[in-house]
Coordinates of all heavy atoms in Angstrom, one line a residue:
M515 N 14.5 -25.1 71.7 CA 14.6 -24.6 70.3 C 14.2 -23.2 70.3 O 13.1 -22.8 70.8 CB 13.8 -25.4 69.4 CG 14.4 -26.5 68.8 SD 13.7 -26.7 67.3 CE 13.1 -28.3 67.4
A516 N 14.9 -22.5 69.5 CA 14.6 -21.0 69.5 C 14.2 -20.7 68.0 O 14.8 -21.2 67.1 CB 15.8 -20.1 69.8
L517 N 13.1 -20.0 67.9 CA 12.7 -19.6 66.5 C 13.2 -18.2 66.3 O 13.1 -17.3 67.1 CB 11.2 -19.6 66.4 CG 10.5 -20.9 66.5 CD1 9.0 -20.8 66.6 CD2 10.9 -21.9 65.4
V518 N 13.7 -18.0 65.1 CA 14.3 -16.8 64.7 C 13.2 -16.1 63.7 O 12.9 -16.7 62.7 CB 15.6 -16.9 64.0 CG1 16.2 -15.5 63.6 CG2 16.6 -17.5 65.0
H519 N 12.8 -14.9 64.0 CA 11.9 -14.2 63.1 C 12.6 -13.2 62.4 O 13.4 -12.4 63.0 CB 10.7 -13.5 63.9 CG 9.9 -14.5 64.6 ND1 9.0 -15.4 64.0 CD2 9.8 -14.9 65.9 CE1 8.4 -16.1 64.9 NE2 8.8 -15.8 66.0
G520 N 12.4 -13.1 61.0 CA 13.1 -12.1 60.3 C 13.3 -12.5 58.8 O 12.9 -13.7 58.6
P521 N 14.0 -11.8 58.1 CA 14.2 -12.2 56.7 C 15.2 -13.4 56.6 O 16.1 -13.5 57.4 CB 14.8 -11.0 56.1 CG 15.3 -10.2 57.2 CD 14.6 -10.5 58.4
I522 N 15.0 -14.2 55.7 CA 15.8 -15.3 55.5 C 16.9 -14.8 54.5 O 16.6 -14.5 53.3 CB 15.1 -16.5 54.8 CG1 14.0 -16.9 55.8 CG2 16.0 -17.7 54.6 CD1 13.1 -18.0 55.3
H523 N 18.2 -14.9 54.9 CA 19.2 -14.5 54.0 C 19.7 -15.6 53.2 O 19.6 -16.8 53.5 CB 20.4 -13.9 54.9 CG 20.0 -12.7 55.7 ND1 19.9 -11.5 55.1 CD2 19.8 -12.6 57.0 CE1 19.5 -10.6 56.0 NE2 19.5 -11.2 57.2
G524 N 20.3 -15.2 52.0 CA 20.8 -16.3 51.1 C 19.8 -16.7 50.0 O 20.2 -17.3 49.0
K525 N 18.6 -16.4 50.1 CA 17.6 -16.6 49.1 C 17.2 -15.4 48.5 O 16.8 -14.4 49.2 CB 16.5 -17.4 49.5 CG 16.8 -18.9 49.9 CD 15.5 -19.5 50.3 CE 15.8 -21.0 50.6 NZ 14.5 -21.8 50.9
Q526 N 17.2 -15.3 47.2 CA 16.7 -14.1 46.5 C 15.3 -14.3 45.9 O 15.0 -15.4 45.4 CB 17.6 -13.8 45.2 CG 19.0 -13.3 45.6 CD 19.9 -13.1 44.4 OE1 19.4 -13.3 43.3 NE2 21.1 -12.5 44.6
S527 N 14.5 -13.4 46.1 CA 13.1 -13.5 45.6 C 13.1 -13.2 44.1 O 13.6 -12.3 43.7 CB 12.1 -12.6 46.3 OG 12.4 -11.3 46.1
K528 N 12.5 -14.1 43.4 CA 12.5 -14.0 41.9 C 11.2 -13.3 41.4 O 10.1 -13.8 41.8 CB 12.7 -15.3 41.2 CG 14.1 -15.8 41.2 CD 14.3 -17.0 40.4 CE 15.7 -17.4 40.3 NZ 15.9 -18.5 39.3
T529 N 11.3 -12.3 40.7 CA 10.1 -11.7 40.1 C 9.8 -12.3 38.7 O 10.7 -13.1 38.2 CB 10.3 -10.2 39.9 OG1 11.3 -10.0 38.9 CG2 10.6 -9.5 41.2
L530 N 8.7 -12.1 38.2 CA 8.3 -12.7 36.9 C 9.3 -12.2 35.8 O 9.7 -12.9 35.0 CB 6.9 -12.3 36.5 CG 6.4 -12.9 35.3 CD1 6.4 -14.5 35.3 CD2 4.9 -12.5 35.0
F531 N 9.6 -10.8 35.9 CA 10.5 -10.3 34.9 C 11.9 -10.9 35.0 O 12.6 -11.2 34.1 CB 10.5 -8.8 34.9 CG 11.5 -8.2 33.9 CD1 11.1 -8.1 32.5 CD2 12.7 -7.7 34.2 CE1 11.9 -7.6 31.6 CE2 13.6 -7.1 33.2 CZ 13.1 -7.2 31.9
G532 N 12.3 -11.0 36.2 CA 13.7 -11.6 36.5 C 13.7 -13.1 35.9 O 14.8 -13.5 35.5
A533 N 12.7 -13.8 36.1 CA 12.7 -15.2 35.6 C 12.6 -15.3 34.1 O 13.2 -16.2 33.5 CB 11.6 -16.0 36.3
L534 N 11.9 -14.4 33.5 CA 11.5 -14.5 32.1 C 12.3 -13.5 31.3 O 12.1 -13.4 30.1 CB 10.0 -14.4 31.8 CG 9.2 -15.5 32.4 CD1 7.7 -15.2 32.2 CD2 9.6 -16.9 31.9
G535 N 13.0 -12.6 31.9 CA 13.6 -11.4 31.2 C 14.6 -11.8 30.1 O 14.5 -11.3 29.0
A536 N 15.4 -12.7 30.3 CA 16.4 -13.0 29.2 C 15.8 -13.7 28.1 O 16.0 -13.3 26.9 CB 17.6 -13.9 29.9
P537 N 14.9 -14.7 28.3 CA 14.3 -15.4 27.1 C 13.3 -14.4 26.4 O 13.4 -14.4 25.1 CB 13.4 -16.5 27.7 CG 14.0 -16.8 29.0 CD 14.6 -15.5 29.5
V538 N 12.7 -13.6 27.1 CA 11.8 -12.6 26.4 C 12.6 -11.6 25.5 O 12.3 -11.2 24.4 CB 10.8 -11.9 27.4 CG1 10.1 -10.7 26.7 CG2 9.9 -12.9 27.9
S539 N 13.7 -11.2 26.2 CA 14.5 -10.2 25.5 C 15.2 -10.8 24.2 O 15.3 -10.2 23.2 CB 15.7 -9.7 26.4 OG 15.2 -9.0 27.5
L540 N 15.6 -12.1 24.3 CA 16.1 -12.8 23.2 C 15.1 -13.0 22.1 O 15.4 -12.7 20.9 CB 16.6 -14.2 23.6 CG 17.2 -15.0 22.5 CD1 18.5 -14.4 21.9 CD2 17.6 -16.4 23.1
L541 N 13.9 -13.3 22.5 CA 12.8 -13.5 21.5 C 12.5 -12.1 20.8 O 12.2 -12.1 19.6 CB 11.5 -14.1 22.1 CG 11.6 -15.6 22.4 CD1 10.4 -16.0 23.2 CD2 11.8 -16.4 21.2
A542 N 12.5 -11.1 21.6 CA 12.2 -9.8 21.0 C 13.3 -9.3 20.0 O 13.1 -8.8 19.0 CB 12.1 -8.7 22.1
A543 N 14.5 -9.6 20.4 CA 15.7 -9.3 19.5 C 15.6 -10.1 18.2 O 15.7 -9.6 17.1 CB 17.0 -9.6 20.2
I544 N 15.3 -11.4 18.3 CA 15.1 -12.2 17.1 C 13.9 -11.7 16.2 O 14.0 -11.6 15.1 CB 14.9 -13.7 17.5 CG1 16.2 -14.3 18.0 CG2 14.4 -14.5 16.3 CD1 16.0 -15.7 18.6
G545 N 12.9 -11.3 16.9 CA 11.7 -10.7 16.2 C 12.0 -9.4 15.4 O 11.6 -9.3 14.3
L546 N 12.8 -8.6 16.0 CA 13.3 -7.4 15.4 C 14.1 -7.7 14.2 O 14.1 -7.0 13.2 CB 13.9 -6.4 16.4 CG 13.0 -5.8 17.4 CD1 13.8 -5.0 18.4 CD2 12.0 -4.8 16.7
I547 N 15.1 -8.7 14.3 CA 16.0 -9.0 13.2 C 15.2 -9.6 12.1 O 15.4 -9.2 10.9 CB 17.0 -10.0 13.7 CG1 18.0 -9.3 14.7 CG2 17.8 -10.6 12.5 CD1 18.9 -10.2 15.4
V548 N 14.2 -10.4 12.3 CA 13.3 -11.0 11.3 C 12.5 -9.9 10.6 O 12.4 -9.9 9.4 CB 12.4 -12.1 11.9 CG1 11.4 -12.5 10.8 CG2 13.3 -13.3 12.2
A549 N 12.0 -9.0 11.4 CA 11.3 -7.9 10.8 C 12.1 -7.0 10.0 O 11.7 -6.6 8.9 CB 10.6 -7.0 11.9
A550 N 13.3 -6.7 10.3 CA 14.3 -6.0 9.5 C 14.7 -6.7 8.3 O 14.8 -6.1 7.2 CB 15.5 -5.6 10.4
M551 N 14.7 -8.0 8.3 CA 15.1 -8.7 7.1 C 13.8 -8.8 6.1 O 14.1 -8.8 4.9 CB 15.4 -10.2 7.4 CG 16.8 -10.3 8.0 SD 17.3 -11.8 8.7 CE 16.4 -13.0 7.9
L552 N 12.6 -8.8 6.6 CA 11.5 -8.8 5.8 C 11.0 -7.5 5.2 O 10.2 -7.4 4.3 CB 10.3 -9.5 6.5 CG 10.5 -11.0 6.8 CD1 9.3 -11.6 7.6 CD2 10.7 -11.8 5.5
L553 N 11.4 -6.4 5.8 CA 11.0 -5.1 5.5 C 11.3 -4.8 4.0 O 10.4 -4.2 3.3 CB 11.6 -4.0 6.4 CG 11.1 -2.6 6.2 CD1 9.6 -2.5 6.4 CD2 11.8 -1.6 7.1
P554 N 12.5 -5.0 3.5 CA 12.7 -4.7 2.0 C 11.8 -5.5 1.1 O 11.4 -5.0 0.1 CB 14.2 -5.0 1.8 CG 14.8 -5.0 3.2 CD 13.7 -5.4 4.1
V555 N 11.5 -6.8 1.5 CA 10.7 -7.6 0.7 C 9.3 -7.0 0.6 O 8.6 -6.9 -0.4 CB 10.6 -9.0 1.2 CG1 9.6 -9.9 0.4 CG2 11.9 -9.6 1.2
V556 N 8.7 -6.5 1.7 CA 7.4 -5.9 1.8 C 7.4 -4.6 1.0 O 6.5 -4.3 0.2 CB 6.9 -5.7 3.2 CG1 5.7 -4.9 3.4 CG2 6.8 -7.0 4.0
Q557 N 8.4 -3.9 1.2 CA 8.6 -2.6 0.4 C 8.6 -2.8 -1.0 O 7.9 -2.1 -1.8 CB 9.7 -1.8 0.9 CG 9.6 -1.2 2.3 CD 10.9 -0.5 2.7 OE1 11.9 -0.8 2.3 NE2 10.7 0.5 3.6
S558 N 9.3 -3.8 -1.5 CA 9.5 -4.1 -2.9 C 8.1 -4.5 -3.5 O 7.7 -4.1 -4.6 CB 10.6 -5.1 -3.2 OG 10.5 -5.6 -4.5
S559 N 7.4 -5.4 -2.8 CA 6.2 -5.9 -3.2 C 5.2 -4.7 -3.2 O 4.3 -4.7 -4.2 CB 5.6 -6.9 -2.1 OG 4.3 -7.3 -2.5
D560 N 5.2 -3.9 -2.3 CA 4.2 -2.7 -2.4 C 4.6 -1.7 -3.5 O 3.7 -1.2 -4.2 CB 4.4 -1.9 -1.0 CG 3.4 -0.8 -0.9 OD1 2.2 -1.0 -1.3 OD2 3.7 0.3 -0.4
A561 N 5.9 -1.5 -3.8 CA 6.2 -0.7 -4.9 C 5.8 -1.4 -6.2 O 5.4 -0.7 -7.2 CB 7.7 -0.5 -4.9
T562 N 6.0 -2.7 -6.3 CA 5.6 -3.4 -7.6 C 4.0 -3.2 -7.8 O 3.6 -3.0 -8.9 CB 5.9 -4.8 -7.5 OG1 7.3 -5.0 -7.3 CG2 5.5 -5.6 -8.7
T563 N 3.3 -3.4 -6.7 CA 1.8 -3.3 -6.8 C 1.4 -1.8 -7.2 O 0.6 -1.7 -8.1 CB 1.2 -3.7 -5.4 OG1 1.5 -4.9 -5.1 CG2 -0.4 -3.5 -5.5
T564 N 2.1 -0.9 -6.6 CA 1.8 0.5 -7.0 C 2.2 0.8 -8.4 O 1.4 1.5 -9.1 CB 2.6 1.5 -6.0 OG1 2.2 1.2 -4.7 CG2 2.3 2.9 -6.4
G565 N 3.3 0.3 -8.9 CA 3.7 0.4 -10.3 C 2.7 -0.1 -11.2 O 2.3 0.5 -12.3
Y566 N 2.1 -1.3 -11.0 CA 1.0 -1.9 -11.8 C -0.2 -1.0 -11.8 O -0.8 -0.9 -12.9 CB 0.8 -3.3 -11.4 CG 1.8 -4.4 -11.8 CD1 2.4 -5.2 -10.9 CD2 2.2 -4.5 -13.1 CE1 3.3 -6.2 -11.3 CE2 3.1 -5.4 -13.5 CZ 3.7 -6.3 -12.6 OH 4.6 -7.2 -12.9
S567 N -0.5 -0.5 -10.7 CA -1.7 0.3 -10.6 C -1.5 1.6 -11.4 O -2.4 2.0 -12.1 CB -1.9 0.6 -9.1 OG -3.0 1.5 -8.9
I568 N -0.4 2.2 -11.3 CA -0.1 3.5 -12.0 C -0.1 3.1 -13.5 O -0.7 3.9 -14.3 CB 1.3 4.0 -11.7 CG1 1.3 4.6 -10.3 CG2 1.8 5.1 -12.7 CD1 2.6 5.0 -9.7
R569 N 0.4 2.0 -14.0 CA 0.4 1.6 -15.4 C -0.9 1.4 -15.8 O -1.3 1.9 -17.0 CB 1.2 0.3 -15.5 CG 1.4 -0.2 -17.0 CD 2.7 0.4 -17.5 NE 3.2 -0.5 -18.5 CZ 3.5 -0.1 -19.7 NH1 3.3 1.2 -20.0 NH2 3.9 -0.9 -20.6
R570 N -1.8 0.7 -15.1 CA -3.2 0.6 -15.5 C -3.9 1.9 -15.6 O -4.7 2.1 -16.6 CB -3.9 -0.3 -14.5 CG -5.3 -0.8 -14.9 CD -5.9 -1.7 -13.8 NE -6.3 -0.9 -12.7 CZ -5.8 -1.1 -11.5 NH1 -5.0 -2.0 -11.2 NH2 -6.2 -0.3 -10.4
H571 N -3.7 2.8 -14.7 CA -4.4 4.2 -14.7 C -3.9 5.0 -15.9 O -4.6 5.7 -16.6 CB -4.2 4.8 -13.4 CG -5.0 4.3 -12.3 ND1 -6.3 4.1 -12.3 CD2 -4.5 3.9 -11.1 CE1 -6.7 3.6 -11.1 NE2 -5.6 3.4 -10.4
E572 N -2.6 4.8 -16.3 CA -2.1 5.5 -17.5 C -2.7 5.0 -18.7 O -3.0 5.8 -19.6 CB -0.5 5.3 -17.5 CG 0.2 6.1 -16.5 CD 1.8 5.9 -16.5 OE1 2.1 4.9 -17.1 OE2 2.5 6.7 -16.0
Q573 N -2.8 3.7 -18.8 CA -3.6 3.1 -20.0 C -5.0 3.6 -20.1 O -5.4 3.9 -21.1 CB -3.5 1.6 -20.0 CG -2.1 1.0 -20.2 CD -2.0 -0.5 -20.0 OE1 -3.0 -1.1 -19.4 NE2 -0.9 -1.1 -20.4
E574 N -5.7 3.7 -18.9 CA -7.1 4.1 -18.9 C -7.1 5.6 -19.3 O -8.0 6.0 -20.1 CB -7.6 4.0 -17.5 CG -9.0 4.4 -17.4 CD -9.5 4.2 -16.0 OE1 -8.9 3.6 -15.1 OE2 -10.7 4.8 -15.7
L575 N -6.2 6.4 -18.8 CA -6.0 7.8 -19.3 C -5.8 8.0 -20.7 O -6.4 8.8 -21.4 CB -4.9 8.5 -18.4 CG -4.7 10.0 -18.8 CD1 -6.0 10.8 -18.4 CD2 -3.5 10.5 -18.0
S576 N -5.0 7.1 -21.3 CA -4.7 7.2 -22.7 C -5.9 6.8 -23.5 O -6.3 7.5 -24.5 CB -3.6 6.1 -23.2 OG -2.4 6.6 -22.5
G577 N -6.7 5.8 -23.1 CA -8.0 5.5 -23.8 C -9.0 6.6 -23.7 O -9.7 6.9 -24.6
L578 N -9.1 7.3 -22.5 CA -10.0 8.4 -22.4 C -9.6 9.6 -23.2 O -10.4 10.3 -23.9 CB -10.1 8.8 -20.9 CG -10.8 7.8 -20.0 CD1 -10.6 8.3 -18.5 CD2 -12.3 7.6 -20.3
N579 N -8.3 9.9 -23.3 CA -7.8 10.9 -24.2 C -8.2 10.6 -25.7 O -8.5 11.6 -26.4 CB -6.3 11.1 -24.0 CG -6.0 12.0 -22.7 OD1 -6.7 12.8 -22.3 ND2 -4.8 11.7 -22.1
A580 N -8.1 9.4 -26.0 CA -8.4 9.0 -27.5 C -9.8 9.2 -27.7 O -10.2 9.8 -28.8 CB -8.0 7.5 -27.7
Q581 N -10.7 9.0 -26.7 CA -12.1 9.2 -26.8 C -12.4 10.7 -26.9 O -13.2 11.1 -27.7 CB -12.9 8.6 -25.6 CG -13.0 7.1 -25.7 CD -13.8 6.6 -24.4 OE1 -14.2 7.3 -23.6 NE2 -14.0 5.2 -24.5
I582 N -11.7 11.5 -26.2 CA -11.9 12.9 -26.2 C -11.5 13.5 -27.5 O -12.2 14.3 -28.2 CB -11.0 13.6 -25.1 CG1 -11.6 13.4 -23.7 CG2 -10.9 15.2 -25.4 CD1 -10.8 13.8 -22.6
Y583 N -10.3 13.0 -28.1 CA -9.9 13.5 -29.5 C -10.9 13.1 -30.6 O -11.2 13.9 -31.4 CB -8.5 13.0 -29.8 CG -7.5 13.5 -28.9 CD1 -6.4 12.7 -28.5 CD2 -7.5 14.9 -28.5 CE1 -5.4 13.3 -27.6 CE2 -6.5 15.3 -27.6 CZ -5.4 14.5 -27.2 OH -4.5 15.0 -26.4
N584 N -11.5 11.9 -30.4 CA -12.5 11.4 -31.4 C -13.7 12.2 -31.3 O -14.3 12.6 -32.4 CB -12.8 9.9 -31.3 CG -11.7 9.0 -31.7 OD1 -10.8 9.4 -32.5 ND2 -11.6 7.8 -31.2
T585 N -14.1 12.5 -30.1 CA -15.3 13.3 -29.9 C -15.1 14.8 -30.5 O -16.0 15.4 -31.1 CB -15.8 13.4 -28.5 OG1 -15.9 12.0 -28.0 CG2 -17.0 14.1 -28.3
Q586 N -14.0 15.3 -30.2 CA -13.6 16.6 -30.7 C -13.7 16.6 -32.2 O -14.1 17.6 -32.9 CB -12.3 17.2 -30.2 CG -12.3 17.5 -28.8 CD -10.9 17.8 -28.2 OE1 -9.8 17.5 -28.8 NE2 -10.8 18.6 -27.1
A587 N -13.1 15.6 -32.8 CA -13.1 15.5 -34.3 C -14.6 15.5 -34.9 O -14.9 16.1 -35.9 CB -12.3 14.3 -34.8
E588 N -15.4 14.7 -34.2 CA -16.8 14.6 -34.6 C -17.5 16.0 -34.5 O -18.3 16.3 -35.3 CB -17.5 13.6 -33.7 CG -17.2 12.1 -34.1 CD -17.8 11.1 -33.2 OE1 -18.9 11.5 -32.6 OE2 -17.4 10.0 -33.0
V589 N -17.2 16.6 -33.4 CA -17.9 17.9 -33.2 C -17.4 18.9 -34.3 O -18.2 19.7 -34.8 CB -17.5 18.5 -31.7 CG1 -17.9 20.0 -31.6 CG2 -18.3 17.7 -30.7
A590 N -16.1 18.9 -34.6 CA -15.5 19.8 -35.6 C -16.2 19.5 -36.9 O -16.5 20.4 -37.8 CB -14.0 19.6 -35.7
L591 N -16.4 18.2 -37.2 CA -16.9 17.7 -38.5 C -18.4 18.1 -38.6 O -18.9 18.7 -39.6 CB -16.9 16.2 -38.7 CG -17.5 15.6 -40.0 CD1 -16.7 16.2 -41.2 CD2 -17.5 14.1 -39.9
L592 N -19.1 18.0 -37.4 CA -20.5 18.4 -37.4 C -20.8 19.9 -37.4 O -21.7 20.4 -37.9 CB -21.3 17.8 -36.2 CG -21.4 16.3 -36.2 CD1 -22.0 15.9 -34.8 CD2 -22.3 15.8 -37.3
G593 N -19.8 20.7 -37.0 CA -19.9 22.1 -37.0 C -19.4 22.7 -38.2 O -19.4 24.0 -38.3
S594 N -18.8 22.0 -39.1 CA -18.2 22.6 -40.4 C -19.3 23.2 -41.2 O -20.5 22.8 -41.2 CB -17.4 21.6 -41.1 OG -18.3 20.7 -41.8
G595 N -19.0 24.3 -41.9 CA -20.0 25.0 -42.8 C -20.6 24.1 -43.9 O -21.7 24.1 -44.1
A596 N -19.7 23.2 -44.4 CA -20.2 22.3 -45.5 C -21.2 21.3 -45.0 O -22.3 21.1 -45.6 CB -19.1 21.6 -46.2
H597 N -21.0 20.8 -43.8 CA -22.0 19.8 -43.2 C -23.3 20.5 -42.9 O -24.3 19.9 -43.1 CB -21.4 19.3 -42.0 CG -22.3 18.2 -41.3 ND1 -22.5 16.9 -41.9 CD2 -23.0 18.3 -40.2 CE1 -23.3 16.3 -41.1 NE2 -23.6 17.1 -40.1
I598 N -23.2 21.8 -42.3 CA -24.4 22.5 -42.0 C -25.2 22.8 -43.3 O -26.4 22.6 -43.2 CB -24.1 23.7 -41.1 CG1 -23.5 23.3 -39.8 CG2 -25.3 24.6 -41.0 CD1 -23.0 24.6 -39.0
H599 N -24.5 23.2 -44.3 CA -25.2 23.5 -45.6 C -25.8 22.2 -46.1 O -27.0 22.2 -46.6 CB -24.1 24.1 -46.6 CG -24.7 24.4 -47.9 ND1 -25.7 25.3 -48.1 CD2 -24.5 23.8 -49.1 CE1 -26.0 25.5 -49.3 NE2 -25.3 24.5 -50.0
D600 N -25.1 21.1 -46.1 CA -25.7 19.8 -46.6 C -26.9 19.4 -45.8 O -27.9 19.0 -46.4 CB -24.6 18.8 -46.6 CG -23.5 18.9 -47.6 OD1 -23.7 19.7 -48.5 OD2 -22.5 18.2 -47.4
E601 N -26.9 19.5 -44.5 CA -28.1 19.2 -43.7 C -29.2 20.1 -43.9 O -30.3 19.7 -44.0 CB -27.6 19.2 -42.2 CG -26.8 18.0 -41.7 CD -27.6 16.7 -41.8 OE1 -28.8 16.6 -41.4 OE2 -27.1 15.7 -42.4
A602 N -28.9 21.5 -44.1 CA -30.0 22.4 -44.4 C -30.6 22.1 -45.7 O -31.9 22.2 -45.9 CB -29.4 23.8 -44.3
A603 N -29.8 21.7 -46.8 CA -30.4 21.4 -48.0 C -31.2 20.1 -47.9 O -32.2 19.9 -48.6 CB -29.2 21.2 -49.0
R604 N -30.7 19.1 -47.2 CA -31.5 17.9 -47.0 C -32.8 18.1 -46.4 O -33.9 17.5 -46.7 CB -30.7 16.9 -46.2 CG -31.2 15.5 -46.1 CD -30.4 14.6 -45.2 NE -30.4 15.0 -43.8 CZ -31.4 14.7 -43.0 NH1 -32.4 14.1 -43.3 NH2 -31.2 15.2 -41.7
I605 N -33.0 19.0 -45.4 CA -34.2 19.3 -44.7 C -35.0 20.1 -45.6 O -36.1 20.0 -45.8 CB -33.9 20.0 -43.4 CG1 -33.1 19.1 -42.4 CG2 -35.2 20.4 -42.7 CD1 -32.7 19.8 -41.1

């Protein structure tokens, strides 16, 4: 019997990527498709949340502006000549 040393022809060596390449590529493609489908939902939810936040801040701003106008009216009333005269007479 003779032994032959050398490469064995007819058999291909499989690498890990070669064995798993197609299923991994398919899963990656499915993942990208699902992400693309969910992106508008996430964007809409984020826009809605931002809209509510803006609305709440606008209401807070309106309340603060009302307080400013009331304080300005009180200052104007306290600074009027008639009020100063009345307070001076009372003292």
Side-chain angles (χ1 to χ4, degrees):
M515 267 210 243
L517 294 175
V518 177
H519 297 289
I522 300 175
H523 295 288
K525 289 187 177 180
Q526 295 178 351
S527 63
K528 289 190 173 185
T529 63
L530 182 61
F531 182 74
L534 298 177
V538 169
S539 297
L540 181 64
L541 287 175
I544 290 171
L546 288 173
I547 291 170
V548 169
M551 289 174 20
L552 291 178
L553 184 62
V555 175
V556 171
Q557 288 176 335
S558 175
S559 175
D560 187 42
T562 302
T563 302
T564 303
Y566 283 126
S567 178
I568 289 171
R569 183 93 152 126
R570 187 180 72 244
H571 289 304
E572 285 175 343
Q573 289 173 346
E574 182 181 349
L575 179 62
S576 294
L578 291 172
N579 281 332
Q581 287 179 358
I582 288 170
Y583 294 139
N584 286 336
T585 304
Q586 287 174 341
E588 288 176 20
V589 168
L591 180 64
L592 292 173
S594 70
H597 181 73
I598 293 173
H599 179 66
D600 291 343
E601 283 296 313
R604 187 181 64 83
I605 294 175

